[in-house]
């Protein structure tokens, strides 16, 4: 039986708890501020951080859900959330863990309205910090409010959009490099007062628009314009250090007192003027010469589908190598982008997202301040222990809006990635759409089209497009004789006939067409395998009849006696697919050619060229290998073989696998019966006719030094095309890399 005193105590406790709960239910939720932070992220994703009571903290991933992520993203001004990530995927935060065991319905206006253990009540560690990935689209008309109580803290700039508003005289320039800076907040475009504006701020804006740096400009015309225009200033200044990749990474500065026409009395609206990179600078030169060619950079991009993206490679002691993705972040990526004449980085990619490189890994654990002129100036660990090409770093850069896709289109295809190529050209003083003559139309030309339209790589080039009904008014041929090297930014930079069109077979059904793809294969020959397996064999002519029928012997074999011998330079070739898509022969199964003598199918009539050249580049012996069998001989660990030639099976080379042509099979040789003793260059070219599109053709060629004394042959110093500096590759005179070999 309870005593009266005990009953009194219990009642008092219950009343106290009821009063406390009632008080809590009546009180409004605490005022908080959110931001996204962390490593290797874009501006719409990151570790979720909360500002409360003068201190930034994090959110624990216990019980966190997509509903909570929706609430957080909307509070940050995004439409909603795409996903959320547990276990400190964007790095560990610091300070208090403000929220734990969060339960949101998804309809709350603020994260503070969701149920949780209470502010600061948590048993989590920072290894459990939650991250969110928001929809890139902003909420139209969203008003970003910085709490006045928290104005002593630094907050990232949050606006709906940013633009450079060019003056009338500048609007026709491509690209637009100068204009009034405006930000969109609360659904309205607003100017920024230039009283606290710095060159560092301008550098960040220029980077966002694809320009490597800012420059001075003539203020006078802008002052006159500003006096005549009605102004609507934004209520804050901006504080950037200059190494940020985006305005959203800068902090908001002091508040600007808005007082109508008297706002920003000592200044005027901010004007930003940018310096375009070499590839995008306005130029009076035209045609082929405008293609972007760097003499000898220290950094380059390879394997990217679009302008301004690719795997990062650096030059060390004359040899190109890759960068390991340990610590790779947007700051280092921005240094690379600016160095190459682009703007800041949109994305720092890890895990060989844009294909694996070959050779050495030159840099590891790169750390950049963001102010370096070159990636080679950043601190890095010279030991790449534990790194392999599965960890190759890559970048996607901001590039200027050149309007390339306004002058070209695909029409009649089943999807936006294919169709008849139609170009905008001037005829009789007006701009009209027309087709491209398909004479000489091939993979290189299709590659330029797909890149210009931002559609990736070419998967096919078509010389007949009768099955695609394009625009009837655009049937006339307006462009002919197109020949591209593959480095051009636009189709009109390729060699072509200009205004004097010559197309004997006409347009219509014979118009050029393309199909594009986001990913492509990348074949690379193993130089080591060739170097280690080269030898000579004397073989009687009567054992070479099948090879002779397939044109694998030199021309003198046509008159040779059956009992005579041919001297063959034999070797093995090991061809890796380092790209992002399987390498498949262009010809479909039904169109493969059957060779009765060897009793096998050829899926590509010519897959490789084998040549011996003099030191000045003159061809003295040759061979070729038809791809009678493209298959996965071996694969990297964890990768399943897909292609096998047995039983008329599918042919190809899977990503991460390689096809080995052993030295002892027919046609895997060069006939050197008529060769004189001397020093030569041994050259192998894969996919020489560009029948199949690849992300990089420069590495399809291999060159070796060879010495023949009449009885023996030595093969040494084998190098892959594009793997050495231009100075090193000049030790092989008279040669071009595969990218230009057909010109």
């Amino acid at each position: 039986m309870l005593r009266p005193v005990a009953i009194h105590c219990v009642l008092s406790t219950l009343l106290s708890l009821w009063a406390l709960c009632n008080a809590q239910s009546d009180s409004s939720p605490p005022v908080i501020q959110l931001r996204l932070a962390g490593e290797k992220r874009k501006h719409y994703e990151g570790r979720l951080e909360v500002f409360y009571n003068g201190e930034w903290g994090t959110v624990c991933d216990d019980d966190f859900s997509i509903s909570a992520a929706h609430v957080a993203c909307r509070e940050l001004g995004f439409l909603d959330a795409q996903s959320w990530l547990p276990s400190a995927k964007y790095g560990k935060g610091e300070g208090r863990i403000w929220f734990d065991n969060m339960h949101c319905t998804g309809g709350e206006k603020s994260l503070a309205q969701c149920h949780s253990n209470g502010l600061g009540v948590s048993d989590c560690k920072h290894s459990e910090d939650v991250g969110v990935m928001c929809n890139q689209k902003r909420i139209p008309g969203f008003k970003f409010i910085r709490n006045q109580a928290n104005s002593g803290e630094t907050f990232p700039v949050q606006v709906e959009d940013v633009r450079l508003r060019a003056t009338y005289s500048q609007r026709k320039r491509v690209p637009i490099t100068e204009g009034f800076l405006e930000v969109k907040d609360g659904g309205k475009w607003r100017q920024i007062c230039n009283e606290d504006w710095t060159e560092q701020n301008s550098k960040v804006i220029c980077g966002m628009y694809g320009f490597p740096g800012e420059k001075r400009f003539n203020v006078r015309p802008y002052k006159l314009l500003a006096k005549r225009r009605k102004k609507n200033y934004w209520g804050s200044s901006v504080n950037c250090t200059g190494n940020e990749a985006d305005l959203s990474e800068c902090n908001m500065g002091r508040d600007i007192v808005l007082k109508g026409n008297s706002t920003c009395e000592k200044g005027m609206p901010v004007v930003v003027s940018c310096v375009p990179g070499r590839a995008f600078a306005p130029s009076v030169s035209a045609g082929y010469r405008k293609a972007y060619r760097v003499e000898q950079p220290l950094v380059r991009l390879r394997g990217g589908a679009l302008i301004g993206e690719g795997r990062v490679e650096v030059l060390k002691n004359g040899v190109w190598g890759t960068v390991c993705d340990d610590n790779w972040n947007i700051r280092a990526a921005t240094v690379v982008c600016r160095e190459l004449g682009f703007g800041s980085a949109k994305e720092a990619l890890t895990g060989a997202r844009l294909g694996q490189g070959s050779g050495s890994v030159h840099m590891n654990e790169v750390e950049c301040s963001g102010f370096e002129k070159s990636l080679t100036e950043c601190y890095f660990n010279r030991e790449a222990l534990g790194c392999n090409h599965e960890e190759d770093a890559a970048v996607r850069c901001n590039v200027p809006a050149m309007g390339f896709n306004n002058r070209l289109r695909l029409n009649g295809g089943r999807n936006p990635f294919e169709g008849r190529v139609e170009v905008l050209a001037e005829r009789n003083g007006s701009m009209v759409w027309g087709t491209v003559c398909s004479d000489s139309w091939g993979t290189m030309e299709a590659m330029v089209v797909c890149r210009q339209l931002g559609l990736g790589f070419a998967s096919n080039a078509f010389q007949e497009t009768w099955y695609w009904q394009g625009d009837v008014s655009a049937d006339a041929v307006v462009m002919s004789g197109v020949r591209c090297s593959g480095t051009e930014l636009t189709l009109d930079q390729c060699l072509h006939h200009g205004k004097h069109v010559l197309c004997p077979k006409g347009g219509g059904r014979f118009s050029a067409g393309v199909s594009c793809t986001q990913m492509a294969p990348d074949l690379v020959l193993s130089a080591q395998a060739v170097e280690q397996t080269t030898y000579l064999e004397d073989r009687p002519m009567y054992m070479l009849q099948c090879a002779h029928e397939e044109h694998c012997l030199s021309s003198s074999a046509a008159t040779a006696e059956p009992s005579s011998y041919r001297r063959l330079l034999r070797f093995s070739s090991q061809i890796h697919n380092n790209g992002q898509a399987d390498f498949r022969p262009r010809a479909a199964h039904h169109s493969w050619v059957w060779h009765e003598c060897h009793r096998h199918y050829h899926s590509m009539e010519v897959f490789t060229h084998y040549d011996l050249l003099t030191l000045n580049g003159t061809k003295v012996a040759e061979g070729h290998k038809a791809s009678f069998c493209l298959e996965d001989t071996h694969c990297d660990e964890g990768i399943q073989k897909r292609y096998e030639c047995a039983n008329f099976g599918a042919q190809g080379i899977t990503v991460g696998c390689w096809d080995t042509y052993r030295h002892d099979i027919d046609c895997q040789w060069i006939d050197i019966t008529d060769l004189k003793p001397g020093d030569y260059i041994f050259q192998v070219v894969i996919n020489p006719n560009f029948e199949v599109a690849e992300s990089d053709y420069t590495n399809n060629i291999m060159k070796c030094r060879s010495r023949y004394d009449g009885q023996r042959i030595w093969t040494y110093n084998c190098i892959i095309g594009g793997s050495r500096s231009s100075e090193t590759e000049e030790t092989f005179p008279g040669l071009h890399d595969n990218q230009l070999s057909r010109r």
Side-chain angles (χ1 to χ4, degrees):
M1 184 174 176
L2 289 171
R3 296 179 183 177
V5 176
I7 292 170
H8 177 74
C9 287
V10 170
L11 286 171
S12 298
T13 304
L14 289 170
L15 283 168
S16 299
L17 285 170
W18 177 82
L20 182 62
C21 291
N22 199 45
Q24 283 183 346
S25 65
D26 290 342
S27 64
S28 58
V31 178
I32 62 170
Q33 195 95 19
L34 302 183
R35 72 178 180 190
L36 299 177
E39 307 160 359
K40 298 178 182 177
R41 67 184 188 91
K42 303 167 199 166
H43 69 276
Y44 53 86
E45 63 177 333
R47 181 177 60 249
L48 186 58
E49 295 195 346
V50 178
F51 186 79
Y52 177 70
N53 200 25
E55 185 181 352
W56 282 106
T58 62
V59 178
C60 182
D61 60 15
D62 290 353
D63 292 341
F64 201 84
S65 66
I66 191 65
S67 297
H70 284 318
V71 174
C73 288
R74 283 196 291 267
E75 192 169 356
L76 287 163
F78 299 99
L79 279 178
D80 53 26
Q82 288 183 325
S83 62
W84 63 277
L85 298 95
S87 307
K89 286 293 189 296
Y90 295 100
K92 296 178 183 180
E94 296 177 347
R96 302 275 295 274
I97 296 176
W98 283 121
F99 288 119
D100 186 9
N101 297 114
M102 295 211 73
H103 294 274
C104 302
T105 63
E108 294 86 353
K109 295 284 179 63
S110 169
L111 215 56
Q113 293 176 349
C114 300
H115 291 289
S116 70
N117 290 353
L119 274 159
V121 180
S122 173
D123 59 357
C124 293
K125 297 178 181 177
H126 282 296
S127 58
E128 300 171 84
D129 286 343
V130 78
V132 295
M133 181 181 287
C134 302
N135 188 320
Q136 293 186 52
K137 294 181 180 178
R138 296 281 193 181
I139 299 172
F142 187 87
K143 181 71 176 173
F144 295 90
I145 300 170
R146 176 167 54 154
N147 298 318
Q148 295 302 312
N150 302 337
S151 58
E153 269 294 321
T154 55
F155 287 89
V157 173
Q158 293 178 311
V159 290
E160 285 179 63
D161 204 355
V162 184
R163 73 180 181 188
L164 271 183
R165 189 176 178 188
T167 60
Y168 183 76
S169 61
Q170 298 271 347
R171 280 176 196 166
K172 291 185 179 179
R173 292 195 177 186
V174 177
I176 291 174
T177 59
E178 188 175 295
F180 286 107
L181 176 67
E182 297 185 340
V183 295
K184 195 175 187 181
D185 189 22
K188 294 182 179 178
W189 288 104
R190 306 171 191 273
Q191 300 82 38
I192 298 176
C193 177
N194 74 345
E195 288 177 4
D196 298 328
W197 193 257
T198 64
E199 287 183 2
Q200 287 79 8
N201 294 353
S202 292
K203 184 180 179 182
V204 174
I205 297 298
C206 289
M208 291 172 62
Y209 279 88
F211 304 113
E214 80 295 339
K215 65 180 177 68
R216 296 181 180 275
F217 59 94
N218 184 4
V219 182
R220 193 172 176 183
Y222 288 101
K223 277 188 175 178
L224 293 171
L225 272 172
K227 284 181 180 178
R228 295 202 298 265
R229 285 183 176 176
K230 185 179 179 181
K231 292 174 282 294
N232 181 20
Y233 282 104
W234 191 44
S236 179
S237 60
V238 174
N239 185 16
C240 302
T241 60
N243 63 354
E244 296 89 350
D246 192 270
L247 186 65
S248 62
E249 295 176 24
C250 299
N251 290 320
M252 295 173 80
R254 67 179 179 89
D255 290 335
I256 300 296
V257 180
L258 301 177
K259 42 187 180 181
N261 292 334
S262 301
T263 307
C264 195
E265 281 183 306
K266 297 179 182 178
M268 59 175 276
V270 164
V271 175
V272 173
S273 183
C274 306
V275 181
R278 174 179 169 180
F280 307 102
S283 172
V284 293
S285 64
Y288 201 76
R289 289 170 297 168
K290 286 178 70 177
Y292 184 36
R293 289 182 175 82
V294 180
E295 278 78 37
Q296 187 56 74
L298 295 176
V299 178
R300 70 182 184 185
L301 301 182
R302 280 289 184 271
L306 305 175
I307 301 166
E309 72 172 33
R311 179 179 60 254
V312 180
E313 297 187 353
V314 294
L315 189 66
K316 178 183 177 183
N317 299 328
V319 180
W320 288 101
T322 61
V323 177
C324 188
D325 64 9
D326 293 350
N327 298 344
W328 187 248
N329 59 24
I330 199 78
R331 195 167 286 179
T334 292
V335 172
V336 170
C337 291
R338 291 188 191 277
E339 179 179 1
L340 294 174
F342 304 112
S344 52
K346 284 193 287 191
E347 208 171 346
L349 300 167
T350 58
R353 285 266 302 280
L354 296 183
Q356 295 185 25
S358 55
S360 301
V361 178
H362 283 341
M363 298 177 82
N364 184 24
E365 297 175 356
V366 178
E367 291 182 19
C368 301
S369 66
F371 298 107
E372 295 86 354
K373 296 291 184 185
S374 170
L375 185 70
T376 56
E377 296 175 12
C378 298
Y379 168 82
F380 65 96
N381 185 349
R382 295 175 189 275
E383 299 294 326
L385 297 174
C387 281
N388 56 53
H389 288 299
E390 292 178 0
E391 300 170 87
D392 284 344
V395 298
R396 285 198 175 106
C397 306
N398 286 312
V399 296
M402 301 294 291
F404 289 154
N405 55 353
N406 298 329
R407 307 201 296 268
L408 189 73
R409 69 187 184 190
L410 300 183
N411 217 331
R414 295 162 298 179
N415 58 62
F417 286 82
E418 67 176 22
R420 183 176 81 173
V421 178
E422 296 179 358
V423 296
L424 192 62
E426 185 183 346
R427 288 292 178 270
N428 301 321
S430 60
M431 301 301 290
V432 296
W433 287 99
T435 57
V436 179
C437 184
S438 63
D439 284 348
S440 77
W441 187 258
T443 303
M444 283 299 188
E445 291 70 36
M447 281 286 214
V448 174
V449 168
C450 292
R451 187 188 303 122
Q452 181 176 348
L453 291 171
L455 298 178
F457 302 106
S459 55
N460 283 293
F462 300 98
Q463 294 192 344
E464 288 189 34
T465 52
W466 53 268
Y467 36 80
W468 286 332
Q469 293 300 315
D471 190 337
V472 178
S473 64
D475 275 349
V477 176
V478 295
M479 196 175 196
S480 64
V482 182
R483 300 296 292 272
C484 303
S485 72
T487 61
E488 297 86 356
L489 301 181
T490 63
L491 197 64
D492 58 11
Q493 288 179 2
C494 300
L495 285 171
H496 59 91
H497 290 155
K499 293 182 180 179
H500 304 288
V501 174
L502 179 63
C503 188
K505 61 184 181 182
R509 64 173 291 173
F510 295 108
S511 301
V514 300
S515 61
C516 307
T517 179
Q518 292 294 311
M519 292 182 284
D522 182 20
L523 297 188
V524 184
L525 186 71
S526 170
Q528 185 180 15
V530 172
E531 199 167 327
Q532 291 176 350
T533 58
T534 307
Y535 67 98
L536 295 179
E537 181 195 9
D538 289 338
R539 195 170 181 84
M541 188 65 197
Y542 64 81
M543 295 179 66
L544 295 169
Q545 290 308 307
C546 282
H548 187 38
E549 285 183 21
E550 293 184 10
H551 310 292
C552 296
L553 300 175
S554 62
S555 56
S556 64
T559 57
E561 293 293 328
S563 59
S564 64
Y565 282 77
R566 308 301 297 180
R567 177 156 290 179
L568 308 175
L569 169 60
R570 282 188 174 275
F571 55 92
S572 295
S573 59
Q574 193 180 89
I575 300 165
H576 295 244
N577 183 359
N578 287 352
Q580 298 175 278
D582 294 354
F583 185 92
R584 300 295 308 277
R586 188 174 70 173
H589 237 84
H590 66 273
S591 59
W592 293 356
V593 179
W594 174 257
H595 281 247
E596 183 64 32
C597 190
H598 276 132
R599 301 197 62 78
H600 58 235
Y601 283 95
H602 286 187
S603 59
M604 290 175 67
E605 196 56 40
V606 178
F607 179 53
T608 50
H609 275 169
Y610 307 139
D611 299 306
L612 268 182
L613 307 104
T614 62
L615 296 183
N616 67 6
T618 303
K619 189 185 296 184
V620 290
E622 65 181 344
H624 82 273
K625 186 69 189 169
S627 68
F628 68 83
C629 176
L630 278 175
E631 67 177 2
D632 298 326
T633 311
H634 298 285
C635 295
D636 291 333
E637 188 178 348
I639 296 176
Q640 191 76 29
K641 293 181 182 179
R642 293 184 185 175
Y643 304 106
E644 190 174 2
C645 297
N647 302 317
F648 194 36
Q651 293 192 24
I653 308 175
T654 305
V655 176
C657 298
W658 58 93
D659 187 7
T660 301
Y661 287 90
R662 284 175 50 86
H663 54 82
D664 54 1
I665 63 175
D666 263 5
C667 298
Q668 189 60 34
W669 62 56
I670 298 177
D671 182 354
I672 63 167
T673 306
D674 308 316
L675 191 70
K676 295 177 181 179
D679 288 317
Y680 297 96
I681 293 167
F682 174 31
Q683 176 177 282
V684 178
V685 184
I686 311 166
N687 191 15
N689 299 330
F690 313 104
E691 280 190 47
V692 179
E694 297 184 47
S695 60
D696 186 1
Y697 286 112
T698 60
N699 56 16
N700 280 29
I701 190 168
M702 185 213 66
K703 313 165 201 170
C704 306
R705 290 288 190 143
S706 288
R707 175 165 291 180
Y708 177 52
D709 68 357
Q711 298 299 322
R712 296 166 298 175
I713 196 161
W714 293 267
T715 303
Y716 57 98
N717 283 358
C718 292
I719 64 170
I720 299 298
S723 66
R724 301 291 193 271
S725 66
S726 56
E727 289 83 0
T728 306
E729 293 200 344
E730 281 171 10
T731 59
F732 293 88
L735 292 181
H736 299 283
D737 64 27
N738 191 31
Q739 197 167 10
L740 296 171
S741 64
R742 66 168 179 159
R743 301 303 170 208

